[in-house]
Amino acid sequence: MTQRLAPLLLCLVALIAASPSLAQDRANGELIAKTWCAGCHNVDGASPQFGQTDAIPSFSAVAGMPSTTATSLRVFLSTPHARMPDYNLTQTEIADVAEYILSLKK
Ligand code: HEC
């Protein structure tokens, strides 16, 4: 019985491993960044956005900081900040945005 189930289990594992929802989606992160973050942050290094000041780092500057990692971004975006609105992003959205920010590293 166990032997006959084995191929089925393998298929299930393969399906779960291939599931796109588990992978970080940089394109989705870019969309979130441009929708929710570009008002304050310079997201893609292009035109300055309204309200942008030196006190608000561009995302490429964030990516270039030695302290920036996927984990540091996840922690930052999972906790409230006085001068930044809390968007209540899901863990998946946070991972996607972090992936996008890290992709801007030069
Ligand atoms: C209302 C303006 C505003 C919006 C919108 C905003 N931020 Fe920020 N963000 C700030 C400010 C101000 C800081 C400076 C950090 C501080 O002093 O609290 C900051 C800092 C950060 C940092 C940390 C940089 C560092 O020094 O480590 C990250 C990462 C970040 N923002 C990501 C995002 C993401 C992702 C979004 C969109 C989901 C977003 N921000 C939307 C204002 C904003």
Side-chain angles (χ1 to χ4, degrees), residues 30-73:
E30 182 173 356
L31 188 72
I32 294 169
K34 287 183 173 166
T35 308
W36 300 110
C37 323
C40 295
H41 292 272
N42 185 329
V43 165
D44 55 9
S47 51
Q49 308 287 336
F50 87 90
Q52 195 190 355
T53 73
D54 289 347
I56 306 180
S58 71
F59 278 2
S60 59
V62 171
M65 295 189 305
S67 57
T68 297
T69 63
T71 304
S72 77
L73 288 174

